[in-house]
Amino acid sequence: MQKNILVTGANKGIGLEIVRQLAILGHQVVLTARNKVRGVAAQETLAKEGLSVHFIQMDVNDEAQIRAAAEQVNKQFGQLHVLINNAAISLAADASILLADSKVLQQTMQTNAFSMLTTVAAFSSILPSGGRIINLSSGLASMTDSISGWSPFYSCSKTLVNAFTRHQAFALAPKDIAVVSMCPGWVRTDMGGSAAPRNVSEGADTAVWLATAEQIETGKFYRDRKVIAW
Ligand code: NAP
């Protein structure tokens, strides 16, 4: 079945690769980006590869843009089968939990976690029974693995993403909408850096699988197509 799928923060990195792989599979994909020029450039890159995707400008920190995007998707496609919350930031100043820089904390939590609540609130009404929400998290969110010390606010923002995932899964279960978190692994992107062992294709794989697999278990945390511990 061809699905309508929207990906946030998809002008580069893992998000762009998720869009690419889903378009190759024949799905109707909406690439969203906060910056119109960068978003259209990404759309054109895919067009040169023979892939046709839609573009909507959407800054995940702009509630009005999120609501407008949901309305546009509703008008154009009637429904959205899969929402992939991929957009995130990792700020260089996020170096130590002891610095407690409230501006860095606020920006990180807003973009990586709070915005996801607004996005799900805006799109959940156009997700049909059988719909899915995939939240990009990280192994750094873990409450069981040891602490790496790397980007503590970013890590905590992803722990919050995981907590939101479980509550969203509970709230949307009566509508038969699955909500999951996933870790792409450490991936070579602007965020992951050049030392990361995975390429974007490997990083996008589990999100694409979660979007398209026949059945997935809601309210779970995934990596490499398998459920992992929170
Ligand atoms: P990336 O290359 O830095 O790309 C991040 C994307 O998010 C960019 O398109 C960026 O747009 C967008 N974005 C940032 N703020 C936004 C906003 N307010 N509104 C809309 N879009 C916004 O990062 P990535 O490595 O592909 O990461 C993708 C996801 O995987 C993130 O959720 C990240 O936390 C997660 N992840 C990555 C790794 C890794 O090793 N790379 C590991 C674990 C988890 P601009 O170009 O406009 O900045």
Side-chain angles (χ1 to χ4, degrees):
M1 167 196 152
Q2 188 194 47
K3 293 185 175 185
N4 305 331
I5 304 174
L6 183 141
V7 187
T8 70
N11 55 286
K12 67 177 184 181
I14 297 167
L16 175 58
E17 181 61 21
I18 292 171
V19 171
R20 177 182 282 114
Q21 291 187 18
L22 289 168
I24 289 170
L25 290 173
H27 297 287
Q28 189 145 243
V29 193
V30 183
L31 181 162
T32 68
R34 61 175 157 180
N35 179 286
K36 193 173 178 185
V37 172
R38 290 198 285 272
V40 169
Q43 185 189 32
E44 283 168 2
T45 299
L46 295 177
K48 282 185 196 136
E49 297 170 18
L51 301 170
S52 170
V53 303
H54 305 267
F55 169 69
I56 298 177
Q57 184 176 14
M58 189 175 111
D59 184 328
V60 297
N61 293 332
D62 184 329
E63 287 197 36
Q65 274 189 10
I66 294 171
R67 278 196 299 274
E71 267 167 39
Q72 194 178 328
V73 170
N74 189 20
K75 258 194 208 144
Q76 217 169 326
F77 308 113
Q79 57 186 5
L80 183 73
H81 300 101
V82 186
L83 167 67
I84 303 183
N85 287 310
N86 168 80
I89 54 168
S90 171
L91 300 174
D94 180 11
S96 163
I97 193 85
L98 303 178
L99 292 176
D101 182 327
S102 60
K103 204 167 163 209
V104 175
L105 175 65
Q106 171 57 33
Q107 277 176 2
T108 305
M109 289 293 173
Q110 173 58 45
T111 303
N112 297 3
F114 303 156
S115 72
M116 206 191 97
L117 293 182
T118 322
T119 309
V120 168
F123 283 92
S124 58
S125 65
I126 59 166
L127 283 163
S129 167
R132 292 178 188 173
I133 297 170
I134 299 160
N135 296 324
L136 269 280
S137 181
S138 165
L140 295 170
S142 177
M143 297 296 282
T144 47
D145 292 351
S146 52
I147 299 290
S148 73
W150 190 81
S151 298
F153 292 161
Y154 170 86
S155 302
C156 292
S157 75
K158 295 296 187 178
T159 309
L160 194 51
V161 165
N162 283 356
F164 287 162
T165 294
R166 299 182 71 229
H167 283 268
Q168 288 169 337
F170 175 83
L172 290 168
K175 288 184 72 186
D176 188 31
I177 293 168
V179 189
V180 295
S181 277
M182 57 89 41
C183 166
W186 185 20
V187 183
R188 288 190 297 280
T189 61
D190 286 350
M191 184 186 289
S194 58
R198 294 187 176 197
N199 61 34
V200 281
S201 174
E202 294 165 311
D205 175 76
T206 295
V208 172
W209 176 77
L210 287 165
T212 56
E214 204 59 47
Q215 287 230 312
I216 60 167
E217 207 181 338
T218 191
K220 299 290 181 189
F221 188 20
Y222 287 84
R223 183 194 292 125
D224 294 335
R225 303 188 180 198
K226 291 191 180 69
V227 173
I228 58 172
W230 297 107

